[in-house]
Amino acid sequence: IFPHNIGMAATFDPGLVRETGEITAREALASGLPWNFAPVLDVGRQPLWPRFYETFGEDPYLAAQLGAAAVTGLQSSGRVAATMKHYLGYSAPRTGHDRTPASLTERDVREHFLPPFRAAVAAGADAVMLNSGDLDGLPVHASRHWVTDVLRGELGFKGVVVTDYADVTFLHTRYHVARTMRDAVRLAMNAGIDMCMTPDNYQFADELLALVHDGTIPE
């Protein structure tokens, strides 16, 4: 069992981080898991956040170097996909509570939180998991700007975009930016997601199929 990311960051050793990724991937694959929801690339700038230990620390440059090394290690065999997460600004909630809103300017985001993801995309990350919270009032999983324009367009990411747990549902029930679950699916799909991580129901798939059939979302 390796140290959490904050402990690995204290080594300042990308080679060691890559090696732990290689070992983790071998053990994951041996367990039948070809997709790993790691590494966490959130930069630790909010000390109240309870998941601070999952970060590679407060420095965007170090987090970028170690994050890219983790991605390279995890995907070195070509048989396991890494997931950079949580895109974007997840580790800086205003209150410190997990999965809650962040008040960040675009400059803040680009200067402090985007660099590790840019490095991970360059390293070939196969997947990305989105931030469960929102940036200045707009949930990231409903933001075409951050998901399509920046992640896909500017950074050139070509992999799979997956939501975090129940986040499409939360567009309707928690954030109230969608009047119905069907509207929530429309917002998330138009933002650019590929897969919805959802608990014990298939409503997302049913609503998506209906939206395609009625022409709201192009096939």
Side-chain angles (χ1 to χ4, degrees):
I1 298 176
F2 299 117
H4 280 294
N5 281 358
I6 195 69
M8 296 304 296
T11 70
F12 295 91
D13 189 342
L16 185 62
V17 172
R18 174 173 175 159
E19 185 178 0
T20 63
E22 293 171 351
I23 295 168
T24 298
R26 286 201 300 271
E27 295 192 356
L29 194 61
S31 302
L33 302 173
W35 188 7
N36 192 351
F37 283 168
V40 170
L41 300 181
D42 303 301
V43 175
R45 288 298 180 101
Q46 167 55 292
L48 297 175
W49 190 52
R51 297 176 66 174
F52 196 100
Y53 59 89
E54 294 185 45
T55 76
F56 284 118
E58 67 181 356
D59 182 66
Y61 177 78
L62 180 63
Q65 295 298 305
L66 299 185
V71 168
T72 301
L74 284 165
Q75 297 187 168
S76 58
S77 70
R79 301 178 67 191
V80 175
T83 307
M84 50 183 185
K85 63 181 195 176
H86 309 78
Y87 180 89
L88 185 63
Y90 182 62
S91 57
R94 185 172 58 250
T95 65
H97 293 290
D98 194 34
R99 307 185 81 175
T100 58
S103 297
L104 299 168
T105 66
E106 179 141 348
R107 179 178 176 180
D108 288 331
V109 174
R110 287 181 173 277
E111 185 171 330
H112 300 125
F113 300 96
L114 191 60
F117 292 94
R118 186 184 299 276
V121 170
D126 285 329
V128 63
M129 185 184 296
L130 301 182
N131 174 8
S132 293
D134 70 58
L135 289 179
D136 293 333
L138 179 62
V140 175
H141 38 296
S143 173
R144 186 170 181 83
H145 170 67
W146 289 115
V147 178
T148 295
D149 297 344
V150 176
L151 179 63
R152 294 250 186 234
E154 182 180 326
L155 272 58
F157 178 66
K158 300 183 184 304
V160 174
V161 176
V162 61
T163 72
D164 209 335
Y165 190 80
D167 281 345
V168 173
T169 303
F170 288 156
L171 291 176
H172 170 49
T173 62
R174 175 183 290 180
Y175 291 109
H176 306 292
V177 296
R179 294 180 179 178
T180 64
M181 180 60 182
R182 183 169 298 184
D183 197 36
V185 173
R186 178 185 61 81
L187 286 173
M189 291 303 301
N190 286 340
I193 74 160
D194 296 307
M195 181 178 289
C196 173
M197 192 201 306
T198 187
D200 54 47
N201 73 73
Y202 299 102
Q203 189 177 3
F204 174 86
D206 295 337
E207 300 292 5
L208 177 57
L209 192 61
L211 287 165
V212 172
H213 282 163
D214 70 18
T216 301
I217 294 178
E219 184 176 351

